[in-house]
């Protein structure tokens, strides 16, 4: 039984770590999207000036 309990504990730990990585990746994607939006705005201004 202890072997099974350790296996379940390991799975729970891995799930928690995977959830954290997913949250971090989601935050990074959001920042990249915001940065891309700002870059597009700057490019549009340059296009309109020229």
């Amino acid at each position: 039984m202890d072997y099974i309990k350790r296996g379940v504990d390991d799975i729970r730990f891995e799930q928690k770590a995977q959830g954290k990585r997913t949250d971090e990746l989601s935050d990074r994607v959001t920042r990249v999207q915001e940065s891309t939006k700002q870059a597009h705005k700057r490019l549009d201004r340059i296009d309109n000036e020229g």
Side-chain angles (χ1 to χ4, degrees):
M1 283 301 269
D2 286 336
Y3 177 77
I4 294 171
K5 183 182 181 313
R6 282 193 305 264
V8 170
D9 289 343
D10 289 345
I11 291 169
R12 285 184 180 148
F13 177 79
E14 284 298 319
Q15 277 185 313
K16 193 177 288 188
Q18 183 65 33
K20 184 177 178 182
R21 286 190 296 266
T22 300
D23 290 344
E24 291 170 353
L25 187 56
S26 177
D27 290 341
R28 289 181 66 191
V29 168
T30 300
R31 287 193 304 270
V32 167
Q33 287 173 327
E34 290 170 356
S35 178
T36 302
K37 184 177 178 181
Q38 292 300 319
H40 279 287
K41 286 181 181 180
R42 289 191 301 270
L43 289 171
D44 287 343
R45 278 194 304 245
I46 291 170
D47 282 345
N48 289 336
E49 290 174 5

